Amino acid sequence: MNRRVTGLLVCISLWIGAYASSVRILEQADDSVACRRWVDGQLARMTLKQKIGQLFIHTVAPITIQKNKDNIERAVKEYGVGGLLFSKGELKKQVQLTNQAQQWADIPLMITFDGEWGLGMRLEDTPEFPRNRVLGCVQNDTLIYQYGREVARQLREIGVHVNFAPVADVDNNPNNPVINVRSFGSDPKVVADKVVAYSRGLEDGGVMAVCKHFPGHGDTDTDSHHVLPVLDFDRTRLDSVELYPFKKAVEAGVGGVMIGHLHVSELDEKPASISSEVITSLLRKELHFSGLVFTDALEMKGISKNADDLCVQALMAGNDMLLVPRNLKKSLESVMRAVKSGKLTEDVITEKCRKVLTYKYALGLSHKQQVAAEGIENRICSAKSDSLMIALEKAAVTVLKDSVDVLPLDLSLSENILLSLSSSLSEAYPFYKELKESVSLSWLHGNADSLQQIQERVAPAHQVIVAVHQTKDLSAFLPFLEKVAADKPLVVVCFASQKVLQEMSFVLKKASAVILAHTDKAEIQRYVADVMTGQDLVDGRLSVDMNGLWKSGTGLTIDPDKPRSYSPEELGMDSKILLAIDSIAEEGIRQQAYPGCHVLITKGGYPVYNKCFGTLTYDGKEEVKEHTIYDLASLSKAAGTLLAIMKLYDEGKFGLTDKVSTYLPELRKTNKQNITIQDLLFHESGLPSYLPFYEEAIDLKTCKGGLFRKKPDAGHKLQIASNLYACTDFSFKKEWVSSVPSEIYSLQLADSMYLNKEYQRVVMQQIINAPLKGHSYRYSCLNFMLLKEVVERISKVPMDIYLDSVFFKPMGLKHTAYNPLKRFPKEEIAPSAKIDFLRGGPLQGYVHDEAAAFVGGVSGNAGLFSTTHDLAVIFQMLLDRGICGDRRYLSRATCDLFMGMKAKNSRRGLGFDKPDIESDDNSPCAPEAPASVFGHTGFTGTCVWVDPDNELVFVFLSNRTYPVAFGHDNLMKLDIRSRIQQAMYQSIMY
C-alpha cells in the first residue's frame, strides 16, 4: 500500500487499520496531508448535531415544486445531512435541485444514485443499459469495465458521487421476487468477476461503487421491501455462494458496501442491517473491508417493523451512513438522545463523521461543485454511450443450442421460411432484411387468425426460422411449432427476454437451434442475422439456469474465422491425405512464395478443407483470416467479367459470333472491326498481350535516362523484370494526375493520387490503335477490357454496378467488390505491393494491375477483390448450372456451353482457362485434373478450379506479389497451386 493511501486510511481511523484492505477510490485523493487538514478543519467547527447529520442520506424526489424545494433546503440547512438520494424523475430537474442543494450546503453534499442499469433506472429519457442478467451473458469483462466507466461519466455529468450498484447477489432462486434480473447470474464466480469489473469502471471514473445487498439477497423468495427475508444456510454454503462476490469485491478495493435487510440465522438473530456480527465482525474484521458501509433504505418494511430506534442500532452495528426515513427530525433526534444517554459515544460519531468527510475529500467534495445544466442531455445521450450499449447487447447474444449443426446456415439451401411472431412486420423487418441478403427466404408474419394458412406455407419448406419478438399469440403457435421441429430443422430466435423462452420448453427440446438475443433492437436483429450466416462472432453464455433445459454457462461460440467444416470422409475424401496440403502451403511461406494464403476446397458444395496460413506481410503479425480480402488480378476475368457476359448472352443480348464493333462503334473502320466476341473469349483476337497504358500519363521529361533501363543506376534502382530497372523519381502530367480529388480527378490510383476520368478514353484509343497479329491464340488482357466495354454498352450501367446488382448482392457476397476501399477498411485487405514503381506504394486495396488502375479500378481484365468463401459461392453456382439457393442466375444451357466449350487452337475455354490435357508441363492444373475442369489464375497468386466430374471447387488466394512482384515467382517454380490440387485428387476415395 502506498503512502498516500496509507495516510488516507489513517485519516479514516486508526483502529480500522488493523483490518483494512486497500480502497481504490481513496487513491483519487492526491494529498493525504491536505486531506487530513481539510477533515480536521471541518470537524473542529462542527457541533454534535452537524456530525450526526453528515451520517444521514436523505431521499427526495427530483421535482421542482416549492414544497419539495423547502424539504430539501430544510434537510440541508437545518439538519446538515451528508448526502441526498433522488428518486425517479427528470434529468433537468435533478440537475437543478442538485445545484441548488449544493449552494445551500455548508459542507458539500455527497449526491448518491440508485442506478443499477444506468441513469435510465431513475431518470426519464436517459440511457438505460441492459439488466445485469443480460450482462451476465457477456464473456468479455473489459466491456463490463467500460460500461462502469461510461455510467460513471454520466453520473459525474449530473453531479453524482456514489452509485448504489452493482448488485452482488447471486441469482440462484428462480422464485426470488426482487433480485432476479438485477443479478449478474447464478454462478458466484461469474457474478464476482462482473461485480469487480463494473466497480473498477465506476471508481476509475470517479464514482464510488456500492456493492449490495450484503451478505447476499439472492436465494430468498420474499421481498425485503415488505417482509424480512430469511437465509437459513450454514457458513460453508454462505462462504461459497452468497459471500463470495463480496469477498472478491473487497479484495479488489471496492469503496462501498450496502447491508441488506436480511435474517441470516447462521450469523446472528438480528437483521443483518443492525447486526454488529454481520457488519463489524464479518464484513470489517473478517473480510477486512475498510470502506463506507451504507444501510439499505430504513423505511423498508423488512426492517422498519422489526426494530425500534433503527438509526441508533444501525450505527452501533457498524454502518457509516444511513438511508433514513423521510422523517429526518425524528431520526436525528433519536441519535442525539442515544449519545446523551451513553448508548452511543460522541467519539464513535466523530470517527464516523471523519470517515465520511475523508471519502468526500477523495470524491472531490472539499469544495462546492456545480453542474453545467446547458447541453446536459447531449452530454448524457452521446454516440459513445449508444455504441457501448449495442456492443454490450451484441456480446450478450447466446446460442443455446445447435444440435444438428445448422448454424451458420447453409446459404445454398432453398425453401427457407422466416416466421416472425411480432406485433407488426415493421418491428421484425431488420432481421428479415439482413437475413434476406444472404439467404433465400420467404417471410411470414404470424398471427393466430392466419395459423392455417401459415401451416400450409410452411409444409414444403426445407428449413424454418421462427423469430419471437413478443408473447402475444405465442401459446397458439406452440403446438404447431412443436410439430414443425419434429419434422424439419427449426431455428428459434428469441428477440425478447429469457422469460419468453421459458414458455416454449417443448418446442425448444425439439428445435435444431436456439438463439437468445434478449432484445429486438434493429442493430441486434441485424447482428443475429449476420451471426446466423457466418459473418459475425457470437460467444455469449447463459447467466442463469433455464427451464431445466440449460445450466448457467451454456452457450456455443460461432466464429466466422473458424467456420464449420465437414468430415472429408463423409464426402468420399481422405482427411489424412488432405493434410498434405498443410505442408505444401507452409513450404510456400518458408520459401517466400507468399507471406500467407487461404486454401478452400468444397465437395458437393460442402467445405472439406479450409485453412488459413501465414500473415499478410513477411514482417507483420496480422494473420490471414477467413474473410481476408485479396486482389484477384486476372481471376477477375472469370469471377467478374465473364459472369456479366454469360448473363447477357443468356438473355439473348448478343451471339458469340457477333462482331464486337456492333456494340463498340469506335472499332468500325479499323483493323478490329471483324473481331468477334468468341475471338475475345478464346484470346484469338490478335491483340497484343499487354500495352503500357500508363506511359501517356507520365511526364517522360522528368525521367532522366528514360523510364526503364537494362542496368541499375542512381535513377533506376527498382528491378521489375530480368534486366529491367524502373525510374521511380518521375512526375505525372498535371493534366492527368492530381494529388487531390475533384470532379475531374475522380479515379483514385493510390493514396493521394487521383486520375482524370477522361483518361479512360486515352486507354480505349490505345487499344483501337494497337497492332493485330493474326487470329492464332495469344493471351491478352485487352480482350477482356473490350468485353467490359461490351457489357456496359449493352446493359447501360457500369460493370461493377451491374455485377453487384445481378449477382453479388442477391447471392449474399458481402466481401466481393471493385475498388474495395469504398466499402471495407484497409486492414481487411491483403496488400499486393510494398513498393510500386508507378504509384510509389504500398498498394493495399488499390488494384495491382496497371491497366485496371488506369481505367479507374473497374476493368474487364482485373480489379475485382474477394475472399475464398465468396469465390466458392460464385463457382458453386456455376457448378450447379446457374442456381444458388432457390434462385436461378443463369440457364443450364448457358452454363454448359461456357463451362464445356474449348478452343481448337489452345487449351482455353470460353473465357475460362482449362487444363492442358496434351502437356502436363504446360498445364496450369494437376495432371489428375480431368478435361472438364475450368477456372482461372491471377498474377497476384490466386486461382479457382472447378471440377464438374467430381463436384469439386478449389480456391487458392495469396498475395505473392508482396513486397514486389519481381523475384517472387516461387509460387510457380514450386508448383504450389497444382500440388495442392494434386493432393485434393489423391484424397478422393471413391
Side-chain angles (χ1 to χ4, degrees):
M1 194 182 302
N2 61 42
R3 291 183 180 179
R4 182 182 65 189
V5 178
T6 302
L8 289 173
L9 284 172
V10 170
C11 226
I12 292 172
S13 73
L14 293 172
W15 68 267
I16 207 168
Y19 313 110
S21 61
S22 176
V23 178
R24 288 170 58 86
I25 201 73
L26 292 180
E27 296 177 13
Q28 297 180 27
D30 296 325
D31 189 341
S32 60
V33 174
C35 170
R36 179 185 286 274
R37 186 184 303 117
W38 183 80
V39 171
D40 287 345
Q42 298 302 317
L43 286 171
R45 63 186 182 85
M46 293 174 73
T47 65
L48 174 61
K49 179 182 177 182
Q50 289 171 329
K51 292 176 184 177
I52 293 171
Q54 285 297 304
L55 312 184
F56 284 64
I57 295 175
H58 186 43
T59 302
V60 294
I63 54 177
T64 53
I65 60 174
Q66 192 58 45
K67 183 179 180 181
N68 192 53
K69 288 182 179 179
D70 292 344
N71 172 42
I72 296 173
E73 184 176 9
R74 186 165 52 252
V76 174
K77 287 185 174 180
E78 183 176 343
Y79 301 117
V81 294
L84 295 177
L85 171 63
F86 287 98
S87 56
K88 286 191 174 184
E90 299 175 19
L91 175 64
K92 282 188 173 181
K93 290 180 179 179
Q94 177 162 328
V95 167
Q96 180 183 340
L97 292 172
T98 295
N99 283 338
Q100 183 65 70
Q102 292 289 21
Q103 288 177 355
W104 286 327
D106 182 29
I107 298 174
L109 294 162
M110 180 185 288
I111 305 299
T112 66
F113 195 82
D114 192 12
E116 294 172 17
W117 48 86
L119 273 63
M121 182 173 175
R122 298 296 173 189
L123 297 176
E124 298 172 9
D125 301 323
T126 57
E128 184 173 319
F129 285 88
R131 304 296 193 269
N132 284 350
R133 176 178 285 180
V134 173
L135 297 179
C137 300
V138 175
Q139 296 304 291
N140 182 4
D141 286 341
T142 299
L143 276 176
I144 305 299
Y145 171 85
Q146 292 170 353
Y147 164 45
R149 281 299 295 259
E150 175 59 18
V151 171
R153 183 193 70 80
Q154 294 176 15
L155 290 172
R156 294 295 294 198
E157 286 281 5
I158 65 171
V160 170
H161 313 99
V162 176
N163 190 17
F164 293 133
V167 171
D169 304 319
V170 178
D171 181 21
N172 50 6
N173 187 333
N175 297 318
N176 192 312
V178 65
I179 299 301
N180 50 72
V181 298
R182 299 163 64 193
S183 165
F184 284 114
S186 59
D187 183 329
K189 185 179 184 307
V190 171
V191 172
D193 291 344
K194 299 289 186 287
V195 163
V196 169
Y198 177 77
S199 297
R200 282 178 171 164
L202 268 183
E203 296 190 339
D204 284 352
V207 172
M208 181 190 291
V210 180
C211 296
K212 61 187 185 184
H213 309 81
F214 188 83
H217 199 332
D219 198 355
T220 66
D221 55 11
T222 51
D223 183 351
S224 54
H225 290 85
H226 306 295
V227 295
L228 186 68
V230 176
L231 280 78
D232 195 16
F233 305 119
D234 63 26
R235 184 57 193 271
T236 301
R237 153 62 192 260
L238 291 171
D239 282 338
S240 63
V241 179
E242 279 75 14
L243 293 174
Y244 184 83
F246 291 99
K247 288 179 183 177
K248 293 301 177 182
V250 171
E251 290 172 5
V254 71
V257 170
M258 177 178 284
I259 310 300
H261 302 316
L262 307 162
H263 178 213
V264 189
S265 56
E266 177 71 12
L267 302 177
D268 197 358
E269 287 305 311
K270 288 184 178 181
S273 46
I274 55 173
S275 167
S276 61
E277 290 296 320
V278 171
I279 301 171
T280 301
S281 298
L282 175 58
L283 178 59
R284 291 201 184 283
K285 295 183 178 180
E286 188 175 334
L287 300 188
H288 308 302
F289 177 65
S290 62
L292 283 179
V293 180
F294 299 81
T295 68
D296 206 342
L298 292 177
E299 64 183 5
M300 292 166 61
K301 293 180 181 178
I303 186 66
S304 62
K305 61 184 181 183
N306 281 276
D308 296 323
D309 294 330
L310 276 177
C311 294
V312 174
Q313 293 192 54
L315 291 172
M316 290 175 63
N319 289 289
D320 297 309
M321 299 197 80
L322 313 175
L323 269 65
V324 298
R326 300 189 187 277
N327 193 331
L328 261 178
K329 180 180 179 181
K330 181 180 177 182
S331 298
L332 198 144
E333 286 176 349
S334 71
V335 178
M336 289 284 288
R337 286 195 302 271
V339 174
K340 290 179 180 179
S341 68
K343 195 172 184 179
L344 269 173
T345 68
E346 186 168 351
D347 286 345
V348 168
I349 298 297
T350 299
E351 284 308 305
K352 288 184 183 294
C353 183
R354 178 185 297 279
K355 186 174 180 182
V356 169
L357 292 173
T358 300
Y359 274 91
K360 282 192 173 186
Y361 184 92
L363 292 167
L365 288 169
S366 58
H367 58 276
K368 289 192 176 184
Q369 300 176 347
Q370 288 287 295
V371 178
E374 186 175 351
I376 187 68
E377 298 97 331
N378 292 334
R379 299 200 304 278
I380 296 299
C381 301
S382 67
K384 179 182 176 182
S385 180
D386 293 341
S387 177
L388 175 61
M389 198 178 304
I390 295 301
L392 287 164
E393 289 168 334
K394 286 181 177 180
V397 173
T398 304
V399 178
L400 295 171
K401 181 181 182 181
D402 186 19
S403 57
V404 291
D405 291 335
V406 298
L407 299 175
L409 298 173
D410 183 347
L411 303 186
S412 66
L413 194 66
S414 59
E415 297 297 329
N416 296 294
I417 283 184
L418 169 62
L419 173 61
S420 296
L421 304 182
S422 58
S423 58
S424 66
L425 281 174
S426 60
E427 179 185 22
Y429 181 70
F431 183 55
Y432 163 72
K433 183 176 183 293
E434 190 74 9
L435 207 56
K436 180 67 175 174
E437 290 192 8
S438 301
V439 180
S440 171
L441 200 64
S442 297
W443 189 23
L444 303 178
H445 183 231
N447 60 72
D449 295 336
S450 59
L451 185 54
Q452 181 60 42
Q453 294 94 316
I454 290 172
Q455 289 174 338
E456 294 171 0
R457 290 283 304 277
V458 167
H462 293 162
Q463 183 169 256
V464 177
I465 302 163
V466 58
V468 182
H469 296 256
Q470 61 167 20
T471 57
K472 183 184 178 184
D473 293 336
L474 179 60
S475 58
F477 277 90
L478 294 181
F480 162 63
L481 293 176
E482 191 176 349
K483 290 179 182 178
V484 172
D487 178 55
K488 61 191 67 181
L490 175 71
V491 180
V492 177
V493 183
C494 181
F495 290 113
S497 72
Q498 182 175 320
K499 187 182 293 185
V500 174
L501 283 183
Q502 293 172 353
E503 302 176 27
M504 304 177 66
S505 294
F506 292 108
V507 174
L508 302 183
K509 287 178 181 178
K510 295 181 180 180
S512 301
V514 180
I515 301 174
L516 174 59
H518 305 287
T519 174
D520 71 345
K521 283 185 179 178
E523 296 91 341
I524 303 306
Q525 291 189 48
R526 289 191 286 269
Y527 166 71
V528 172
D530 287 344
V531 164
M532 293 175 67
T533 53
Q535 298 176 73
D536 216 328
L537 171 73
V538 64
D539 66 352
R541 297 294 184 268
L542 196 62
S543 60
V544 294
D545 296 354
M546 198 178 85
N547 269 35
L549 292 175
W550 300 292
K551 295 287 187 181
S552 66
T554 296
L556 302 172
T557 297
I558 297 178
D559 187 345
D561 289 330
K562 297 178 182 177
R564 183 178 75 230
S565 61
Y566 294 83
S567 166
E569 281 72 17
E570 294 178 55
L571 298 160
M573 301 179 77
D574 190 325
S575 57
K576 293 180 180 177
I577 296 177
L578 283 171
L579 280 176
I581 296 173
D582 291 24
S583 60
I584 299 171
E586 288 163 355
E587 177 189 352
I589 295 172
R590 288 195 306 274
Q591 297 297 325
Q592 294 203 341
Y594 41 75
C597 67
H598 189 178
V599 184
L600 174 63
I601 299 171
T602 66
K603 172 87 158 107
Y606 297 98
V608 292
Y609 185 94
N610 177 28
K611 290 186 182 180
C612 300
F613 299 90
T615 53
L616 299 186
T617 63
Y618 290 107
D619 54 356
K621 296 181 180 179
E622 186 64 33
E623 295 181 346
V624 176
K625 297 179 180 178
E626 288 291 329
H627 294 294
T628 296
I629 300 168
Y630 283 90
D631 182 340
L632 301 185
S634 283
L635 180 51
S636 303
K637 294 179 174 74
T641 312
L642 194 52
L643 290 181
I645 287 292
M646 292 173 72
K647 184 65 175 178
L648 294 172
Y649 173 84
D650 208 27
E651 295 174 342
K653 300 294 177 64
F654 65 81
L656 293 178
T657 58
D658 286 0
K659 293 178 181 179
V660 179
S661 58
T662 303
Y663 310 100
L664 306 181
E666 58 266 44
L667 296 183
R668 297 170 191 169
K669 297 182 181 181
T670 73
N671 59 352
K672 300 167 186 69
Q673 65 179 347
N674 294 322
I675 295 174
T676 67
I677 288 178
Q678 182 170 294
D679 289 337
L680 297 179
L681 291 168
F682 278 153
H683 293 279
E684 293 179 349
S685 66
L687 284 165
S689 58
Y690 172 76
L691 287 176
F693 296 109
Y694 53 83
E695 286 190 353
E696 178 60 30
I698 294 174
D699 184 355
L700 294 176
K701 295 178 182 177
T702 64
C703 301
K704 296 179 182 179
L707 190 56
F708 304 108
R709 292 183 70 88
K710 291 183 178 181
K711 293 183 179 181
D713 59 25
H716 300 76
K717 297 179 180 179
L718 182 64
Q719 189 171 12
I720 61 172
S722 297
N723 301 318
L724 191 65
Y725 295 81
C727 172
T728 54
D729 186 17
F730 62 82
S731 300
F732 285 100
K733 295 176 181 176
K734 292 182 179 180
E735 65 182 288
W736 294 124
V737 178
S738 170
S739 60
V740 293
S742 66
E743 185 179 350
I744 295 173
Y745 297 95
S746 58
L747 306 178
Q748 190 165 12
L749 289 168
D751 292 339
S752 302
M753 189 178 292
Y754 300 88
L755 182 70
N756 188 321
K757 60 186 178 182
E758 291 299 316
Y759 200 81
Q760 295 174 97
R761 298 179 185 274
V762 174
V763 171
M764 188 62 186
Q765 190 60 50
Q766 289 188 35
I767 296 176
I768 293 171
N769 297 338
L772 291 183
K773 187 180 178 181
H775 284 277
S776 59
Y777 168 71
R778 178 164 64 170
Y779 180 81
S780 172
C781 287
L782 277 60
N783 293 319
F784 272 73
M785 294 179 76
L786 288 178
L787 286 171
K788 177 249 187 185
E789 296 299 318
V790 171
V791 168
E792 295 188 342
R793 303 293 175 89
I794 294 175
S795 67
K796 294 181 172 55
V797 294
M799 188 177 73
D800 56 333
I801 295 175
Y802 180 80
L803 285 168
D804 207 42
S805 61
V806 176
F807 289 98
F808 301 157
K809 278 188 177 178
M811 293 172 71
L813 308 182
K814 293 196 171 183
H815 298 91
T816 300
Y818 294 87
N819 290 318
L821 290 176
K822 293 180 179 180
R823 289 174 49 186
F824 308 104
K826 186 174 289 187
E827 295 73 25
E828 294 182 11
I829 306 169
S832 59
K834 187 175 184 179
I835 302 172
D836 177 69
F837 93 94
L838 271 178
R839 290 166 280 176
L843 299 180
Q844 187 171 10
Y846 302 108
V847 61
H848 186 273
D849 182 88
E850 294 98 343
F854 277 79
V855 292
V858 183
S859 183
N861 70 305
L864 190 61
F865 288 69
S866 190
T867 63
T868 58
H869 293 286
D870 278 9
L871 289 172
V873 173
I874 291 172
F875 286 89
Q876 186 65 43
M877 180 270 291
L878 296 173
L879 187 56
D880 291 336
R881 305 305 194 274
I883 293 175
C884 180
D886 65 349
R887 178 170 173 175
R888 178 170 287 283
Y889 291 85
L890 297 167
S891 71
R892 183 183 186 91
T894 294
C895 291
D896 285 340
L897 175 66
F898 278 77
M899 287 158 46
M901 192 171 179
K902 178 182 173 299
K904 294 179 181 180
N905 302 321
S906 71
R907 68 171 193 253
R908 291 283 168 174
L910 271 179
F912 293 112
D913 200 358
K914 296 180 74 66
D916 193 328
I917 303 303
E918 297 177 0
S919 172
D920 290 344
D921 291 340
N922 294 324
S923 179
C925 297
E928 292 83 351
S932 62
V933 166
F934 65 93
H936 217 286
T937 58
F939 182 77
T940 50
T942 63
C943 76
V944 176
W945 295 110
V946 182
D947 181 346
D949 294 355
N950 295 291
E951 295 186 295
L952 291 167
V953 176
F954 162 45
V955 187
F956 178 94
L957 296 182
S958 75
N959 55 332
R960 70 106 191 161
T961 54
Y962 186 90
V964 292
F966 177 74
H968 287 82
D969 53 2
N970 277 346
L971 178 67
M972 290 70 75
K973 288 181 178 179
L974 297 172
D975 288 330
I976 297 290
R977 291 173 288 193
S978 57
R979 286 166 59 199
I980 290 175
Q981 190 182 29
Q982 185 173 48
M984 175 186 76
Y985 280 116
Q986 290 171 348
S987 73
I988 297 175
M989 296 160 51
Y990 52 82

